[in-house]
Amino acid sequence: MSTAEIRRRFTAHFAENTEIGEHTVVPSASLLLDDPNLLFVNAGMVPFKPFFLGQATPPYQRATSVQKCIRTPDIEEVGKTTRHGTFFEMCGNFSFGDYFKEGAITLAWELITKSVADGGFGFDESVLYPSVLNGDDEAVALWKKITGLPDDRIVRLPPSENYWSMGVPGPGGPCSEILIDRGGAYGKDRDWEAGDRYLEFWNLVFMQDNVVEARSKYDVDIDGALPQKSIDTGLGLERVAYLMQGKSNMYETDVVFPVIEKAQELTGKKYGADYDDDVRFRVVADHVRSSLMLIGDGVTPGNEGRGYVLRRLMRRAIRNMRLLGYEDPAMPELLPISRDKMGETYTELHTGWDRIKRVADSEEEAFRKTLTAGTQIFDLAATEVKQSGSTTFTGSKAFQLHDTYGFPIDLTLEMAAEAGLEVDEAGFRGLMTEQRERAKADARAKKGQHADLSVYRGILDSNGPTDWQAYTTLDTESKPLALLKEGKPVDVLGPEEIGEIVLDRTPFYAESGGQSADAGIIEFDGGRLEVVDVQRPVKGLVVHQVRVVDGEFSTSSAAGGLVHAQVDPEWRLGARQAHSGTHVVHAALREVLGPTALQSGSFNRPGYLRLDYGWTKGLTPEQMHEIEEVSNNALRADLPVSWDYMTLPEAKEWGAIALFGETYDDSKVRVVEIGGPWSRELCGGTHVDHSAQIGTIVVTSEASVGSGNRRIEAYTGVEGFQYLARERDVVSELNLLLKTKSDDVVGRVSDLMERLKAAEKEIARARTAQLLASGGSIAASAVDVNGVRVVAQRVPGVGGGDARTLAQDVRSRLGDAPAAVVLVGDADGKVAVVAAVNPSGIAKGVKAGDLIKELAPIVGGRGGGKPDFAQGGGTEVGRIDEALGKVSSLVTGAVAGA
C-alpha cells in the first residue's frame, strides 16, 4: 500500500466515522511555529497546543490531521537504525472534551485491524500488543472489552514509557501504545525495550490530569482531574508504510527509496553491498527530503536557529554523496526526485520549485567551496595534532574552522573521528557560547524577562486576554492588572526603575510581524511611565516594558483604579508608513523580478524598512531603480489601503500571500490589500489608509544576508526626504570641491580615481626597484651551512608581498648551487616570514614549507607552502631575531635527515 493511500485511509476513517462522530480534517500546518520553545513542529499535536492548554477555543470537537514534523536531536543516528528520521509525518486524531479512552481505543483498533478491502490496514491481531501505564486498570479493561485480547497480551509499562505531558504545567495523562511484534529476528521474546522487535507505531494519549509542575514529560505533580478530558493520538506514517510495504526500515519506503536509487545511479555504488555505504545512502535520502520540506516552508540556510538546522542537513547530505564517490553537485539531481514523490501530497513543492531550487543550488555551491578549502585546512591541522603526539583536536582549532572558514562543527567531528582524533567539544562550545552571548546581549536586555512564561500564563488565566485596541485608537483608560520587575511580581516601581505592566486594555501595538512596538506614555495619578517596549510573551497577553520618568508607581497609584495609556501619534504614523511601505516594496519587487521573489522576513520601524527575500543574485542598479520607481508610482497613484478578515483557505484563494516563517491558526486571518490584487498579504500590522500617505520610498541598499537570501533597505516618509536632503548636500559639497556641476561629478571623480591608480602603480614600481636594488647585498650575506648557501635576514618595513618578491630575487642571485633564503619583514606591527629554496637545495633535503612551519610559530603565527616557496605571518615582532637564529640549525637538521 502506498504512503499516499495510507495517509488517505487514515483521515477518511475519522472524517467519515458516524458512530463516534465525524472529525474535521485539518491540513498540515507549516513546519515553522510561533512557539518560543520550538524551532519546528516536532509532533502532530503541536498545532493544537493552544486548545489543550486552554489558550484558545477549538472550532471543532473532533479533528484529524497528517502533520509534517522535524526532529533533529538524534541526527547522528539517522541511517544507523530503522526508525530515526529527521522529517516524518504524524497521523493523529483529537478529541476536545468529546470521546475519551473507549472511543480512542475503538477507533484505533478498528482502523488497524479492518481488512484492506474494507478500507483498513489489515494488521494481523495476533501480532499486536497494546501497552498501558502500569496501574491504569481502566485502560486494561477497555482493551479487553473492545479487542477481546487476553490479559497477557496487554503490556504494563512505567511512566517513562506510558505517561505523557507537555513538560510544562497543563494537561497530561497516561497513554496506550500499540506495538507490533516483528518476530524473533528483531529481538528477544517479550523484551519490550527491543524497539525493533516490538515496534510502537501508534500512541493514544488520554489527557485527564491537571499537571501543576513538570520536571520532565513523565515526572510530574498532579492536582486532580481536568474539567474537560481530551484525546491526542499519533501514528507514525513512515512506520506504518514500511510495515505495510514489507520493508525493513523507513528509508526503503516508496517516498524515500527513489532518492537512494538515484544516488546509486550517480555514485555507481550498490545499496545493500556495504554497511558504511548503506548508512550514507540512508543519510542522503533522509536529509534530502528534510531539506526539501524545510526550504518549501520558507527556511533558508544560515548560521543560527532554523537556518543552521537546514544548513547542517544539506551539508551532511552533500558530504555523504562525496564519501560515496560523487564529486559533482548533488542537490540538482536528488531534490527533483524527492519533490516528485512528496509533491503528490504537498503541491506547493511544485508551485514553489523555482525558489526551492535556487536556494538549494546556491547553498551547495557555497558549501562545495567551503568543503574544498576547509578540508585542506582540517587536514593540515590534523597532521599537526598527530605530529605533536596528541589525539585531541583542540576546541580553538575547531572554532577557527567554524568561525573563520565556515566549516561546520559536525563535519569537524565526523572528519576527526575518521582520522582517529577526538575533538575538544567542550572547548568549542565554550567559545561558541562566548560569541553568542556577546551577540545576544542587547536582545537579552530587551526580551530576557520573557524566559519564564509561567508568571505571564498565570496573569492570563486570572484575567483573560488583553482587550487590544491598537487598530482603533491611540489612547485608552485602562486598569493595571499586574506589575513585574525582572519577571517577578512587585508592588512598586521607583524613579527610573524599569519594569513591566499588564493592562486590561491597551492601544499599544506589540512587536510582531516585523513591526516594532509602539512608543508612548502611561499616565497615572502623580506620575508618568515611558513605554519602551511592548511584547506578547504568551498568546493573548500584551505586556508593556516601562520606565518610571515621574513619580513612583504602584497599582494603587491609579486614580479610580485607572491609568491613561497614550501612544505617541508621530511614532505610530511613522510605523504605519513603514509597514505599508514594506508591502509596497514587496509588490514592486515581485513586479520587477517575478512572482518567485517572495519575502522571507522583514522589519520596520518609523521611517525605516528592511525586507529579506529569497534570491541568489544581487540586484543590478537598473533593477534597484525600477523597484524604487514602481514603489513611488504606487504612492503617487494614491492606491486605497484596506483590510478584511477571512479564513486562510479563502485568503489564499483570493491571492493573498502567506509569508514564509509566519504561522496562522484556524481562526480568521487579516488580509491587507493595497491597490486591489496588486498587493494582498496576510498581515496583523498597522497601515496607512491610502498609499500617498507613505510620503516617499527611498531604496538605500541591497545586499546578501546569507546563502540564497537578499535584503533591501529603504527609508519612508520624512526620513526618506531627510535622506535625499543629505545626499543633495553631499553632491553640493563635491560640486564646490571639484569646481564642477552635479551632472559632471561622476566623470570628474572617475578621472581622479584613474590618476590616483596610475600614481599608486608608479609608486609600487619605484618601491619594487628599490627593494630589488638591495637584493645583491642581501645575497652577498649568504653563509655555507652543510653545503647549502643560507640567507637569513630581517628586512624592516617590508610587508608580505614585497618580502615574497625580494626572497625570490635573492634566490635567483644565488645561482644553481644549493641555496635557501629566509627573510622576515615587519610592517604595521605585523610579521611576514618567507622562505625560498632552489631545486638543488630541495634535493639536499631543505624544504621551504618545513622551514615556515617551524619559524612562524616563534613569531606568534602559522604558515605553510610548497618545497620551493612558503610564507607565514605572526604578531610578535620582538621574537624576529629568535626566529632568524634558528634557521641554520633547521637547515643542518634537514640536510642530515635527507
Side-chain angles (χ1 to χ4, degrees), residues 237-387:
L237 180 62
E238 285 77 10
R239 293 192 182 186
V240 174
Y242 75 74
L243 290 171
M244 297 196 68
Q245 292 171 16
K247 305 298 182 182
S248 62
N249 59 64
M250 62 175 288
Y251 311 104
E252 298 172 12
T253 62
D254 59 329
V255 295
V256 181
F257 195 68
V259 175
I260 293 179
E261 290 179 316
K262 184 65 177 180
Q264 289 182 100
E265 176 189 324
L266 295 172
T267 63
K269 294 194 174 183
K270 186 171 180 59
Y271 181 72
D274 177 84
Y275 172 77
D276 290 337
D277 283 348
D278 286 354
V279 171
R280 291 167 184 147
F281 276 122
R282 293 194 286 259
V283 168
V284 168
D286 174 85
H287 289 7
V288 164
R289 183 168 74 141
S290 298
S291 299
L292 172 74
M293 302 307 292
L294 285 171
I295 300 173
D297 273 3
V299 182
T300 55
N303 292 326
E304 294 287 342
R306 293 165 174 160
Y308 178 72
V309 172
L310 171 59
R311 173 162 285 169
R312 186 180 183 193
L313 290 169
M314 290 187 66
R315 294 185 169 190
R316 278 172 57 90
I318 294 164
R319 182 166 183 268
N320 275 278
M321 284 296 289
R322 290 170 70 97
L323 293 174
L324 287 166
Y326 188 71
E327 298 289 335
D328 294 332
M331 284 296 175
E333 301 289 342
L334 300 176
L335 270 183
I337 307 299
S338 190
R339 172 205 61 193
D340 291 345
K341 297 306 296 183
M342 298 304 295
E344 295 173 4
T345 299
Y346 302 104
T347 57
E348 64 270 19
L349 297 175
H350 289 287
T351 57
W353 175 246
D354 288 346
R355 183 190 58 82
I356 294 170
K357 175 177 171 53
R358 189 165 58 245
V359 170
D361 290 354
S362 176
E363 174 65 12
E364 180 164 18
E365 180 182 357
F367 181 55
R368 285 168 60 82
K369 294 176 182 177
T370 295
L371 196 59
T372 299
T375 299
Q376 293 174 349
I377 296 164
F378 173 87
D379 289 342
L380 178 63
T383 300
E384 290 178 356
V385 170
K386 290 180 178 180
Q387 287 177 346

Side-chain angles (χ1 to χ4, degrees), residues 435-450:
Q435 185 186 63
R436 288 189 179 119
E437 286 303 314
R438 288 192 298 268
K440 293 180 178 178
D442 290 342
R444 283 202 308 272
K446 180 178 182 182
K447 299 177 182 177
Q449 298 177 47
H450 293 164

Side-chain angles (χ1 to χ4, degrees), residues 70-384:
I70 288 279
R71 286 183 191 167
T72 57
D74 299 325
I75 191 171
E76 303 296 342
E77 299 303 312
V78 170
K80 300 176 184 177
T81 74
T82 64
R83 308 182 307 279
H84 288 96
T86 52
F87 174 86
F88 60 96
E89 294 176 85
M90 189 61 71
C91 306
N93 60 288
F94 308 91
S95 165
F96 306 102
D98 194 67
Y99 61 85
F100 195 49
K101 289 184 181 180
E102 184 169 4
I105 293 171
T106 300
L107 287 165
W109 192 254
E110 179 183 337
L111 175 59
I112 61 176
T113 59
K114 187 165 55 176
S115 71
V116 172
D118 291 333
F121 294 157
F123 283 116
D124 182 353
E125 293 184 15
S126 66
V127 294
L128 298 177
Y129 290 76
S131 73
V132 300
L133 177 66
N134 194 10
D136 189 358
D137 296 333
E138 179 188 10
V140 172
L142 286 171
W143 276 110
K144 290 180 179 179
K145 169 187 171 184
I146 293 164
T147 67
L149 293 174
D151 189 76
D152 66 350
R153 289 278 298 284
I154 300 171
V155 185
R156 281 78 164 175
L157 294 175
S160 59
E161 298 294 329
N162 276 60
Y163 192 89
W164 190 93
S165 76
M166 295 185 189
V168 296
C175 54
S176 274
E177 296 179 338
I178 302 177
L179 316 175
I180 185 168
D181 182 1
R182 303 176 71 197
Y186 291 93
K188 296 179 181 179
D189 186 39
R190 300 187 75 82
D191 179 1
W192 309 115
E193 295 183 2
D196 286 336
R197 167 74 187 263
Y198 296 97
L199 182 70
E200 177 261 315
F201 65 92
W202 201 343
N203 187 19
L204 317 179
V205 180
F206 310 131
M207 290 193 177
Q208 64 186 41
D209 299 328
N210 179 28
V211 174
V212 293
E213 186 173 346
R215 289 166 291 278
S216 69
K217 287 194 173 183
Y218 63 88
D219 183 11
V220 300
D221 294 336
I222 298 168
D223 183 17
L226 292 170
Q228 177 176 282
K229 297 179 179 179
S230 299
I231 289 292
D232 155 31
T233 87
L235 173 143
L237 180 62
E238 285 77 10
R239 293 192 182 186
V240 174
Y242 75 74
L243 290 171
M244 297 196 68
Q245 292 171 16
K247 305 298 182 182
S248 62
N249 59 64
M250 62 175 288
Y251 311 104
E252 298 172 12
T253 62
D254 59 329
V255 295
V256 181
F257 195 68
V259 175
I260 293 179
E261 290 179 316
K262 184 65 177 180
Q264 289 182 100
E265 176 189 324
L266 295 172
T267 63
K269 294 194 174 183
K270 186 171 180 59
Y271 181 72
D274 177 84
Y275 172 77
D276 290 337
D277 283 348
D278 286 354
V279 171
R280 291 167 184 147
F281 276 122
R282 293 194 286 259
V283 168
V284 168
D286 174 85
H287 289 7
V288 164
R289 183 168 74 141
S290 298
S291 299
L292 172 74
M293 302 307 292
L294 285 171
I295 300 173
D297 273 3
V299 182
T300 55
N303 292 326
E304 294 287 342
R306 293 165 174 160
Y308 178 72
V309 172
L310 171 59
R311 173 162 285 169
R312 186 180 183 193
L313 290 169
M314 290 187 66
R315 294 185 169 190
R316 278 172 57 90
I318 294 164
R319 182 166 183 268
N320 275 278
M321 284 296 289
R322 290 170 70 97
L323 293 174
L324 287 166
Y326 188 71
E327 298 289 335
D328 294 332
M331 284 296 175
E333 301 289 342
L334 300 176
L335 270 183
I337 307 299
S338 190
R339 172 205 61 193
D340 291 345
K341 297 306 296 183
M342 298 304 295
E344 295 173 4
T345 299
Y346 302 104
T347 57
E348 64 270 19
L349 297 175
H350 289 287
T351 57
W353 175 246
D354 288 346
R355 183 190 58 82
I356 294 170
K357 175 177 171 53
R358 189 165 58 245
V359 170
D361 290 354
S362 176
E363 174 65 12
E364 180 164 18
E365 180 182 357
F367 181 55
R368 285 168 60 82
K369 294 176 182 177
T370 295
L371 196 59
T372 299
T375 299
Q376 293 174 349
I377 296 164
F378 173 87
D379 289 342
L380 178 63
T383 300
E384 290 178 356

Side-chain angles (χ1 to χ4, degrees), residues 7 85 109 212 308 431 459 462 514 537 597 639 642-643 672 688 834 890:
R7 185 189 291 109
W109 192 254
V212 293
Y308 178 72
L431 291 169
I459 297 170
S462 299
L639 301 174
S642 61
W643 45 88
V672 175
V688 297
V834 296
L890 290 175

